[in-house]
Amino acid sequence: DVQLTQSPSTLSASIGDRVTMTCRASHNILTWVAWYQQKPGKAPKLLIYKASTLQVGVPSRFTGSGSETEFTLTISSLQPDDFATYYCQQYSGYWTFGQGTKVEI
Amino acid sequence: QIQLQLSGPRLVKPSQTLSLTCVISGDSVSSYSAAWNWIRQSPSRGLEWLGRTYYRSKWHFDYAESVKSRITINPDTSENHVSLHLNSVTPEDTAVYYCARDFEVSGYFDYWGQGTLVTVSS
């Protein structure tokens, strides 16, 4: 199985900050990565797929990049609604998720 | 608007079978452009994909190795739902369970059910 390692596990930030988090894969997964946002008690919400394609309805302040084994999710200007946990997911083989990055104040 | 509604017992005894149903509205369980997945989340295991089914002239099933010997996913076209059965459960199977759609069997999940916490305890 492909293992995904996210860093940092917790990220402290303020409104308006540019925030970047990383997802590293144990094998080359090309661009078969998706990113999700999850708030407490809610299901994950798809933000980005194929490493950099924004899902319909997701604000453009979210940007995904990367390929092969290293991927990043950037929030260009953090908004109050963005405080949540973010997960990467690979779909190169059977599906696995990273352990998450929690964005907090 | 696609909605996935989960139902089923919230408490299951060890060694018994965990059964959940995901009722699909706004799409079809036998759609040629979707796959229907079960995913769970627990503090110890994180988000874990369990299995999926999809219809392409016949029904296809894929299961995670970690649960392959214990899991069954059943689609029901008359009720437009998909069910999960996980037998011989232990407290390790305590988790929030989700169903999720994978559009065009692409590998990522664009619609999720609300999640239901299932506790395995005597």
Side-chain angles (χ1 to χ4, degrees):
Chain A
D1 283 0
V2 178
Q3 309 298 319
L4 297 178
T5 303
Q6 290 187 245
S7 60
S9 50
T10 306
L11 194 160
S12 296
S14 302
I15 302 299
D17 283 354
R18 180 182 179 87
V19 163
T20 297
M21 61 197 78
T22 298
C23 175
R24 288 189 173 86
S26 60
H27 299 84
N28 182 348
I29 54 173
L30 302 178
T31 56
W32 303 121
V33 162
W35 289 92
Y36 300 85
Q37 176 193 70
Q38 187 179 34
K39 296 181 179 179
K42 300 292 188 183
K45 173 188 171 185
L46 177 66
L47 299 176
I48 284 168
Y49 59 92
K50 205 155 184 264
S52 61
T53 303
L54 203 63
Q55 173 69 346
V56 171
V58 173
S60 58
R61 63 181 180 271
F62 291 92
T63 304
S65 64
S67 63
E68 297 188 358
T69 60
E70 186 151 333
F71 303 88
T72 60
L73 175 68
T74 299
I75 309 172
S76 61
S77 177
L78 199 65
Q79 300 302 302
D81 192 46
D82 301 338
F83 291 96
T85 301
Y86 294 84
Y87 294 94
C88 58
Q89 176 232 333
Q90 66 81 22
Y91 47 105
S92 171
Y94 278 134
W95 304 257
T96 54
F97 293 83
Q99 82 281 14
T101 291
K102 183 178 182 181
V103 177
E104 60 180 27
I105 298 174
Chain B
Q1 175 72 355
I2 293 164
Q3 293 190 332
L4 306 176
Q5 184 68 38
L6 275 77
S7 63
R10 308 299 174 92
L11 180 64
V12 182
K13 288 182 166 41
S15 80
Q16 294 191 342
T17 297
L18 180 159
S19 294
L20 294 172
T21 297
C22 174
V23 177
I24 301 160
S25 55
D27 201 346
S28 169
V29 70
S30 55
S31 165
Y32 264 67
S33 57
W36 304 97
N37 297 259
W38 286 95
I39 296 163
R40 67 182 178 183
Q41 184 174 29
S42 65
S44 59
R45 301 173 75 97
L47 283 159
E48 180 183 19
W49 175 82
L50 299 176
R52 69 174 182 176
T53 186
Y54 58 96
Y55 186 75
R56 301 292 184 272
S57 303
K58 65 173 186 176
W59 288 102
H60 297 261
F61 302 91
D62 294 298
Y63 298 125
E65 282 299 321
S66 60
V67 295
K68 199 168 188 174
S69 63
R70 301 191 291 128
I71 189 173
T72 304
I73 292 176
N74 285 329
D76 185 323
T77 55
S78 61
E79 299 290 331
N80 203 36
H81 72 220
V82 58
S83 61
L84 167 72
H85 303 281
L86 186 66
N87 61 37
S88 305
V89 295
T90 72
E92 277 276 296
D93 295 309
T94 295
V96 176
Y97 285 77
Y98 297 98
C99 60
R101 188 183 84 157
D102 169 355
F103 184 58
E104 294 189 338
V105 201
S106 54
Y108 53 87
F109 311 110
D110 60 349
Y111 285 93
W112 295 63
Q114 80 277 18
T116 190
L117 173 62
V118 179
T119 302
V120 178
S121 174
S122 54

